[in-house]
Amino acid sequence: MTATSPLDPIIHAPARLRLVAALSALADGDRLSFTSLQKLLDMTGGNLSTHLRRLEDAGYVQVTKSHVGRTPATNVALTRAGRLAFEDYTAALRALLGSAATEGGTA
Amino acid sequence: MHRRLVCGKNLFVTTSSDQHDLADDGTHTDLAAAESLALIEAQRREVGAQLEPDARLLYGLWGLALLIGEGAFFLATWDDSPVEVSMPLAGTTLFVSLASAMVISSVHIARRVAGVQGNSSRQGMFYRWTWMVGFVSLAAIISGVTRTGIDDAAIGLLWAAGSGLVIGLLYMAGGAMWLDRTQFALGAWFAVVSGAGAVAGTPWIYLVLAVAGGGGLLAVAATLAARSKLSGP
């Protein structure tokens, strides 16, 4: 652990952590529709869009827009960078837990 | 490295607005990290619960359909049957139970997987086509064999054992594709008992499919339900 936060600030917010965790549960090469994601996370569309944009700017998610017939469909997936960042994040959490366990007596 | 003092119970102590949602380093506690990991796990489980078809429901549904449908055929063809079941009644019962199971499971699967696009949905589509092609081809084979002049008992035997074989092989293939040991074992069981049932002949093939096949599916559904109740929240 360095002096700076070991936890990725892009992921380290409850809403985005849930969002990234949900996307991480998809199989490789899968995308989830915006509406399913919204239902899954119980978020408003605007709220979800805001968090998605932040993740998209960081290169962690890819948002694709397509059309099913005439209705526009938005799909979301973690990018490789996003999956890696999420894995690093969980590893950092485990490390925090691990160091807490080994130093448990000194705290 | 020494651990900072415990400053906050929650890892997300400064989350009042999006701009300030970065927890200050130093607020991390073992408890908070554990909570975050739990949050991640819960969210991932929720994805499975909402977006993947429920194996308990599907196994239970098809188990019941086979138990009732094939059970009716067994009672119709068994000489010592305590209840009288006519062949048309048995045929109708089998058709209605299989058709209901097909409609309910199709609707269930379609609703669960609707939001997911990509590799899984392609896999699912290919897999559904495999079932369709398997049974259409089986029907064609049996109609061809029928023209060689076999009796009704042989046709019934072919349908029952052939269906059991197709089900068995597709469960085994599904188990291989999704790395699902239960599904694979269930498929092997189906294939083996169908072969054994065919050797035993009429009416035992129907009993085998109803009890070993349908009953086996119901047993797996019940086991999965009990297991998820144990590990559930």
Side-chain angles (χ1 to χ4, degrees):
Chain A
M1 198 195 307
T2 58
T4 57
S5 173
L7 297 174
D8 189 335
I10 308 286
I11 298 178
H12 190 58
R16 286 198 295 275
L17 178 56
R18 289 179 61 220
L19 176 43
V20 173
L23 291 176
S24 78
L26 295 181
D28 246 350
D30 278 357
R31 303 177 297 277
L32 193 56
S33 75
F34 186 89
T35 41
S36 299
L37 200 53
Q38 203 186 327
K39 217 176 88 192
L40 193 67
L41 300 169
D42 198 19
M43 278 191 198
T44 63
N47 200 358
L48 180 56
S49 294
T50 309
H51 289 300
L52 276 179
R53 201 166 307 127
R54 182 118 184 233
L55 290 167
E56 201 181 7
D57 289 345
Y60 287 0
V61 301
Q62 190 183 26
V63 179
T64 46
K65 289 180 200 298
S66 60
H67 285 264
V68 181
R70 260 186 229 168
T71 44
T74 303
N75 288 301
V76 185
L78 274 189
T79 60
R80 189 173 298 197
R83 203 170 273 274
L84 219 61
F86 177 69
E87 278 163 15
D88 284 348
Y89 180 86
T90 51
L93 285 182
R94 293 219 170 77
L96 278 172
L97 266 183
S99 64
T102 52
E103 296 173 35
T106 62
Chain B
M1 186 192 76
H2 58 264
R3 198 157 63 95
R4 302 280 189 94
L5 283 175
V6 174
C7 304
K9 209 165 101 87
N10 196 299
L11 203 55
F12 304 109
V13 283
T14 53
T15 54
S16 51
S17 81
D18 195 31
Q19 278 72 37
H20 296 96
D21 57 12
L22 321 177
D24 174 46
D25 187 34
T27 63
H28 314 131
T29 67
D30 48 338
L31 183 65
E35 276 174 357
S36 297
L37 283 172
L39 182 74
I40 290 168
E41 261 327 294
Q43 191 61 62
R44 288 170 58 92
R45 258 205 311 276
E46 190 64 21
V47 171
Q50 287 198 24
L51 301 178
E52 281 166 22
D54 190 337
R56 295 164 301 181
L57 177 87
L58 295 177
Y59 287 149
L61 192 63
W62 285 98
L64 204 61
L66 282 178
L67 189 66
I68 295 170
E70 300 291 348
F73 258 88
F74 174 64
L75 293 177
T77 52
W78 185 29
D79 291 337
D80 301 332
S81 176
V83 281
E84 197 165 319
V85 178
S86 69
M87 280 306 271
L89 177 62
T92 309
T93 306
L94 181 68
F95 178 79
V96 169
S97 56
L98 292 185
S100 320
M102 192 148 81
V103 169
I104 297 171
S105 52
S106 300
V107 170
H108 172 72
I109 292 171
R111 282 167 69 162
R112 283 289 168 97
V113 305
V116 182
Q117 265 91 42
N119 291 348
S120 309
S121 64
R122 262 198 303 278
Q123 265 180 332
M125 185 188 67
F126 290 156
Y127 189 64
R128 284 191 291 280
W129 273 104
T130 311
W131 279 95
M132 194 108 81
V133 169
F135 276 103
V136 168
S137 177
L138 179 66
I141 289 169
I142 292 173
S143 90
V145 173
T146 302
R147 280 203 309 228
T148 65
I150 56 171
D151 60 15
D152 285 351
I155 297 171
L157 191 70
L158 267 180
W159 263 116
S163 304
L165 180 63
V166 171
I167 293 170
L169 294 183
L170 278 169
Y171 276 170
M172 287 176 86
M177 184 162 67
W178 289 296
L179 296 176
D180 182 346
R181 196 186 292 267
T182 306
Q183 193 176 155
F184 184 81
L186 203 50
W189 170 250
F190 252 93
V192 168
V193 301
S194 298
V199 172
T202 314
W204 310 113
I205 179 70
Y206 302 117
L207 183 66
V208 164
L209 278 185
V211 176
L217 282 170
L218 286 172
V220 169
T223 308
L224 290 179
R227 205 182 291 163
S228 64
K229 197 171 256 180
L230 277 180
S231 67

